Amino acid sequence: MSRRQQTNRFYKTGFFIVLAVLIIILSVLLIGAIRLFGNLDSDSRERPTVNNESEELLSFQMTLNQTNLLLDNLLEEDIPFHFYLAEDGVYLEGEVDAVLSSIDVAMRFDPMVQEDGSLLLEADNLSAGFLSISPETALRMFNQVADLPEWIYLYPSEEHVVIDLRTIEELEPFGLRFNDVNLDEDVLDISLIQ
């Protein structure tokens, strides 16, 4: 075999190896992008209707630390994010799987008590590692990867979360409703209802 034929064979083999590596890299990136941003049209499940004229049995106040302890006990350990309250807002932090690694996502919400006793958390601030994503996209990703408790509802298109403690199965036939949330004063006013 001549030297020229060996050189041509070397270049052909090299070309096909580089082509295969590029195809593998593009496939991994495409699969990762589909996994990360796929199914963006799915929104949260609908909240069940609950009798708004429930009887108040007991009213109590909790501090931020007590509320955070309650949230930690109510949330299951396999949920990939963490809710907690601070003086400047309600935070949702967690990791979302991306193409080759995971992205640390942190969102800050402003809480607002609704007439029905649920707590509406409106997205105010978002940080997602070095990526620039919208709160809507972050909530959609959390909605896809998390098996949420029945009392947390994510609404990505409205960029808010609803916490409705009236629907906690473990408390049935009772429930909890928010009366007032004042993070500056370190007070949450909650009622036990039937």
Side-chain angles (χ1 to χ4, degrees), residues 45-95:
R45 64 198 188 281
E46 289 297 315
R47 288 174 45 201
T49 55
V50 178
N51 182 6
N52 287 337
E53 298 176 11
S54 303
E55 179 183 350
E56 182 178 313
L57 302 174
L58 173 70
S59 182
F60 55 94
Q61 291 185 345
M62 298 175 66
T63 65
L64 295 179
N65 287 337
Q66 292 167 335
T67 306
N68 287 332
L69 182 63
L70 176 66
L71 282 173
D72 285 343
N73 287 327
L74 289 175
L75 289 173
E76 299 171 15
E77 292 180 14
D78 58 345
I79 292 178
F81 58 83
H82 175 65
F83 266 116
Y84 68 91
L85 286 81
E87 289 180 0
D88 61 340
V90 178
Y91 287 84
L92 171 102
E93 295 180 345
E95 288 185 347

Side-chain angles (χ1 to χ4, degrees), residues 88-93 105-110 121-128 133-136 138-139 142 159:
D88 61 340
V90 178
Y91 287 84
L92 171 102
E93 295 180 345
V105 177
M107 298 182 76
R108 189 175 78 74
F109 298 90
D110 290 324
L121 305 175
E122 292 190 12
D124 180 50
N125 190 3
L126 168 72
S127 66
I133 60 175
S134 69
E136 177 180 356
L139 286 174
F142 276 125
E159 296 183 358

Side-chain angles (χ1 to χ4, degrees), residues 6-177:
Q6 284 180 336
T7 303
N8 284 343
R9 179 186 265 169
F10 173 75
Y11 285 122
K12 285 181 185 178
T13 305
F15 171 76
F16 286 115
I17 290 173
V18 169
L19 183 64
V21 169
L22 285 175
I23 289 173
I24 291 171
I25 290 172
L26 287 175
S27 298
V28 167
L29 290 174
L30 181 64
I31 290 170
I34 289 171
R35 188 167 170 229
L36 181 63
F37 298 109
N39 197 16
L40 288 181
D41 293 333
S42 71
D43 225 344
S44 184
R45 64 198 188 281
E46 289 297 315
R47 288 174 45 201
T49 55
V50 178
N51 182 6
N52 287 337
E53 298 176 11
S54 303
E55 179 183 350
E56 182 178 313
L57 302 174
L58 173 70
S59 182
F60 55 94
Q61 291 185 345
M62 298 175 66
T63 65
L64 295 179
N65 287 337
Q66 292 167 335
T67 306
N68 287 332
L69 182 63
L70 176 66
L71 282 173
D72 285 343
N73 287 327
L74 289 175
L75 289 173
E76 299 171 15
E77 292 180 14
D78 58 345
I79 292 178
F81 58 83
H82 175 65
F83 266 116
Y84 68 91
L85 286 81
E87 289 180 0
D88 61 340
V90 178
Y91 287 84
L92 171 102
E93 295 180 345
E95 288 185 347
V96 175
D97 289 333
V99 179
L100 299 173
S101 65
S102 59
I103 302 170
D104 290 329
V105 177
M107 298 182 76
R108 189 175 78 74
F109 298 90
D110 290 324
M112 198 166 54
V113 176
Q114 300 294 293
E115 281 185 36
D116 64 1
S118 61
L119 187 64
L120 175 71
L121 305 175
E122 292 190 12
D124 180 50
N125 190 3
L126 168 72
S127 66
F130 61 88
L131 291 180
S132 175
I133 60 175
S134 69
E136 177 180 356
T137 303
L139 286 174
R140 286 189 195 282
M141 290 188 296
F142 276 125
N143 203 20
Q144 289 176 359
V145 299
D147 185 20
L148 297 171
E150 73 277 3
W151 47 273
I152 296 179
Y153 302 90
L154 300 181
Y155 295 99
S157 56
E158 290 89 11
E159 296 183 358
H160 67 250
V161 175
V162 174
I163 297 179
D164 192 351
L165 299 180
R166 299 171 305 156
T167 59
I168 297 176
E169 281 183 16
E170 291 81 12
L171 294 177
E172 285 184 1
F174 303 102
L176 297 173
R177 71 175 269 130

